[in-house]
Amino acid sequence: MKNYNHLKIEKKWQKIWQENKIYKTLDSHKKPKYYVLDMFPYLSGKGLHVGHPKGYIATDIISRMKRMQGLNVMHPMGFDAFGLPAENYAIKTKTNPAVLVPKNVAHFKKQLNILGFDYDWSREINTTDPKFYKWTQWIFLQMFKKGLAYESYEPINWCPSCKTGLANEDLENGKCERCGSEIEQKPMRQWVLRITNYAERLLKDLDLLDWPEFIKESQYNWIGKSEGAEIEFKVGNLIIKVFTTRPDTLFGATYCVLAPEHKLVDKLKNQIKNWVEIEKYRKEIAKKTEIERTAEGKEKTGVELKGVKAINPVNNEEIPIYIADYVLAYYGTGAIMAVPAHDERDFEFAKKYRLPIIEVIFNNNNIKEESFIGTGTLKNSGKFDGMDSNKAKIVITKFVGGKMKTTYKLRDWVFSRQRYWGEPIPIIHCRKCGVVPVPEKDLPVILPKIKSYKPTGTGESPLADVDKWVNIKCPKCKGKAKRETNTMPQWAGSSWYYLRYMDPQNNKILVDKKKEKYWNQVDLYVGGAEHATRHLIYARFWHKFLYDINVVSNPEPFKRLQSVGLIIGEDGRKMSKRFGNIINPDEIVKVYGADTLRLYEMFMGPFSQSVSWSTKSIIGPRRFIEKIWRISNQIIFKNKTDDELEKLLHKTIKKITEDIETMNFNTAISSMMILVNKIDLTLIEGNSMSKKDFKLFLQILAPFAPHITEEIWFNLQEKKSIHLSSWPKYDEKKIIDKNVKIIIQINGKVRTELIISNDMKEEEVKKKALANKVVISWIKNSKIKRIIYINGRVVSIVI
Ligand code: ANZ
Ligand code: ZN
């Protein structure tokens, strides 16, 4: 017997599959389709470690089964190569990203190919390819035209190390998600996308999605819908507008608070007696981030605006006004009415500054010690006493002329980066005409090749120094104008890339209408849960926009989502160069083979859970592969498969089909192992199986171990790839246990049981029942009125 030479066999088949283009997805729109997608890799480092392919192996298995089931499968792959991850890596290795990225792509691709994936590379995309980012820029222009992309000058998150502005989504606990630096607030010109216009739809349409609950939940919280009211407090002839979720507690409002940045503070300057103190406090607060300011347990600070008072509209009482760090400028209206008896933050603040605390909701708390935040029945509320909170919210809001209002935590998306390596924002600044969009016919705006690509830190991108590129004629007035030099964030290309796979070469439109209609939605999307409130919100937003302008025909991009559990290092830590615990898949494949690695990663544990890598344990799947190889070399086929083995084979076909669908790969593989042991045992006992049945076994193993199964398949004189054969159907009859237990009732009472063979005919069963000793003893000489047999379950005799 030949040894199993995985190196030779795997390489051979990978070459043949590629040459024969067996995985090419046709645009034949007659067959039903299945679109299965991986989150494409972003090029942040040297290459893949063994954690990366886990999700790719899963989609590979599913796509192979679906193809064998006769569906027109699309399983594409591409590269996300713009943005901070690639650029920071380029800076670190002192290579221009324009040089580095193509090298990295080639390396990644090679790594993917040795794992034997069934990608249709003719659909490959790359977000840094001008033919691709032309359409990223095109989408931006459409948003600009609809007023969804706008310039703003508000302070934003600034990473002092990456030297760029960032969106809220780019932070992790107040630090830069890429480099871990402390974030500062910096006022600067920036481009922003009005994602908040879509907040409600982004929430509501979560119901349409077959996604893990915890991911839906985190989107839900990120969007953060609050229903409340806007109520106006007079300050002389000016007005403080507050947002509150508890208008029912208006009688308990004992002071107002403005965010330190609030514009009203400036308007009140002349009346404020302690302006110097106010200014000093405002400067202090400007240095702090939102996260620092609102961190739980942090002591709240504030300063009273001396000399001015607000009027509570519900009882016309004068109350003091403060500015304080715990009120944020960009949430609600940036101002609150404080109700210390019923809000924890206000309670803390009121205690510290000795402000009155008035209870207005009946409760059992000791309000001297803590607030009561629940709803209930009103008290100390004049004519509203005794009313229920929920009713009072509406009635009191109306009474003071306020209006009900819904607010979201979601902020508009800060979309410009002061960096080189991104899609240029297709905008021109003209002294005369102002902001002018680049005409569509001039797309793409190509990112120029430059020598000094490092971020400048001045708030301008390095592109600002490329005079030849920056200076341009205004498309409107032909006068002197300059290009926008900010670039798009890392998340731009990935917000729509999945659409381009449907029609990757089209240079007329983003995606052909007919093709889009056919492929419609991604049926299954697999990737890491860390994208829950980043990529997965951004992509849903862009998709909905494209839906509104009639580019796509489904309001949601990803029908079913499955999150991949991480593979962590052997030492229990995240796999990272920092910890020196990276395992390279190339090495594993060299020693054990791709089929073994694939089986191992799918067998490690439930797919969505994190597991530790263990090189020692790979030997298990490797022995499994070797056993299959040995069996295939030893087996002498018979015309008919041993009964028990045949039954197990059909049961396994059923199990594997279901497990792949539900992504329970580990249980699928363990039932496959049971089957292989049974085959082995059957051979040892001198029995065997038919060639036909052995091929069924190879077919259900093929998605997991595509190389060895193909090799054996061809050794059995097959002429066409196993991966293009039809997925086995199990025989329902063969699954049923041969012997079944039925009960015998006499006049409706269970009297005994009978073991029969499941294919026994009705007449025979009845005869056997009547011959049973127990039955005879019950019937004795009585006359049998009726005898009924319910298939496989009951014989009912009436005497
Ligand atoms: C009065 C009140 C009484 C409140 C009460 C709560 C309880 P969510 O649910 O998170 O939306 N608030 C409003 N704008 C704010 C801002 N810019 N910065 C900080 N806090 C702000 O919370 C809404 C509540 O948070 C609002 O309702 C307001 O306090 C506060 F018994 O108004 B409430
Ligand atoms: Zn102009």
Side-chain angles (χ1 to χ4, degrees), residues 226 243-246 249 326-328 331 334 336-337 339 342-343 345 409:
S226 271
F243 171 70
T244 175
T245 46
R246 296 295 304 274
T249 63
Y326 76 101
V327 172
L328 302 174
Y331 183 63
I336 66 157
M337 63 182 221
V339 183
H342 303 292
D343 181 277
R345 295 158 299 178
K409 291 250 152 54

Side-chain angles (χ1 to χ4, degrees), residues 249-257 319-320 326 336-360 363 365-373:
T249 63
L250 190 51
F251 280 88
T254 54
Y255 59 98
C256 277
V257 186
I319 55 175
Y326 76 101
I336 66 157
M337 63 182 221
V339 183
H342 303 292
D343 181 277
E344 286 173 50
R345 295 158 299 178
D346 300 342
F347 179 82
E348 255 181 72
F349 192 83
K351 278 265 166 189
K352 181 171 171 187
Y353 294 100
R354 296 171 197 281
L355 291 156
I357 299 174
I358 301 173
E359 278 178 73
V360 292
N363 67 88
N365 279 19
N366 180 354
I367 292 287
K368 286 197 180 63
E369 276 162 24
E370 58 172 343
S371 56
F372 171 75
I373 59 171

Side-chain angles (χ1 to χ4, degrees), residues 698-746:
L698 288 177
Q699 284 175 304
I700 54 172
L701 181 64
F704 297 86
H707 307 89
I708 188 172
T709 48
E710 185 83 312
E711 177 74 12
I712 301 173
W713 183 255
F714 274 82
N715 285 345
L716 297 177
Q717 273 76 51
E718 284 290 342
K719 296 281 179 292
K720 219 174 121 199
S721 172
I722 189 170
H723 305 298
L724 301 177
S725 67
S726 298
W727 187 251
K729 289 198 175 67
Y730 59 88
D731 186 338
E732 195 75 61
K733 272 182 280 169
K734 287 181 181 146
I735 289 182
I736 299 169
D737 280 308
K738 267 237 129 104
N739 292 328
V740 287
K741 200 195 280 175
I742 57 169
I743 53 174
I744 301 181
Q745 291 180 343
I746 297 173

